Amino acid sequence: MANRARYAVASVTGALVVLGTLASCGTGDGTAGASPQPPASAGRTAGDSPPRTATSPDGTVVSPSGTAASPSDRAPTAPGRTDRPGTRCRTAELSAAVGRMDPGAGQRNFPVVLTNVSSRTCTVYGYPGAAFVDAAGEQLGREPERTAGDATTVTLAPGESAWSGLRYASPGVSGARTATPATLLVTPPDERQPLEVPWRSGPVPVSGNASSVFLTVLQPGSGP
């Protein structure tokens, strides 16, 4: 009976030694097996957003580190446009006029002239807006269509002008329905407030055949 008890104790002791040896073996490189580490991105929550850039008042893109972005990172400028914010001519800095009619081949052609009446140099680019209105301020006909052309920035020193060609078919030739405007409203490019020019050149087409009116891009000077 005593022999059996001693055998049982020896068996249990041997088993404990084996288990202790296995526990100390670890990963085979002499170290204990480490717990899996979380990936580097684990600290970022689902709501985190990538760093954002900011834009300074002069249009420069600034990175989160505070450095300006390279020119290639900035928004492209329209071909031929070299003006910058702050140089554009405002409505209050301009006057508008309609020059002498130049008839030709059943057409009526007028230069619409914008003149810099301010004390600073400013720029215009592209097309002006235009609309014929009656004495009550109601628009007559559709707004002019833009004639294709290469727009360039026109720099106007004080007293200098730029002009756009206003053209339509002579109503006596086209047979279009006409009306006689009281005023031509001229809006400088990128502005909302128009300039009022009294219209003294008779009826204009407002509907029917060949009733379209056309405008060209602004160019330096006061007419062709």
Side-chain angles (χ1 to χ4, degrees):
M1 189 62 143
N3 289 337
R4 288 182 181 180
R6 285 196 295 270
Y7 178 79
V9 170
S11 298
V12 170
T13 302
L16 290 174
V17 171
V18 171
L19 289 174
T21 302
L22 289 174
S24 66
C25 288
T27 59
D29 59 354
T31 61
S35 301
Q37 296 297 317
S41 60
R44 181 178 297 173
T45 64
D48 288 345
S49 301
R52 299 181 180 178
T53 58
T55 303
S56 65
D58 64 354
T60 301
V61 178
V62 181
S63 69
S65 64
T67 57
S70 65
S72 60
D73 296 329
R74 301 175 188 174
T77 303
R81 186 162 195 165
T82 58
D83 58 337
R84 295 172 296 172
T87 67
R88 185 178 82 235
C89 295
R90 304 289 181 172
T91 299
E93 298 175 311
L94 299 168
S95 67
V98 176
R100 181 179 58 85
M101 182 184 69
D102 180 22
Q107 303 286 325
R108 289 190 169 188
N109 305 283
F110 301 87
V112 177
V113 184
L114 294 174
T115 300
N116 182 3
V117 295
S118 74
S119 59
R120 74 178 185 108
T121 296
C122 59
T123 60
V124 291
Y125 176 89
Y127 300 82
F132 292 110
V133 297
D134 61 17
E138 295 295 326
Q139 182 169 329
L140 301 173
R142 295 174 295 180
E143 294 182 0
E145 299 179 17
R146 295 178 173 183
T147 301
D150 295 326
T152 58
T153 298
V154 181
T155 301
L156 302 178
E160 293 185 336
S161 301
W163 70 281
S164 170
L166 177 73
R167 172 178 59 86
Y168 55 85
S170 175
V173 176
S174 68
R177 189 172 72 83
T178 65
T180 301
T183 304
L184 175 66
L185 300 180
V186 180
T187 307
D190 301 315
E191 291 290 295
R192 294 186 178 181
Q193 185 66 33
L195 296 162
E196 298 184 3
V197 183
W199 183 258
R200 299 189 177 93
S201 299
V204 299
V206 294
S207 66
N209 295 330
S211 61
S212 295
V213 179
F214 300 91
L215 275 174
T216 66
V217 295
L218 285 162
Q219 51 191 307
S222 57

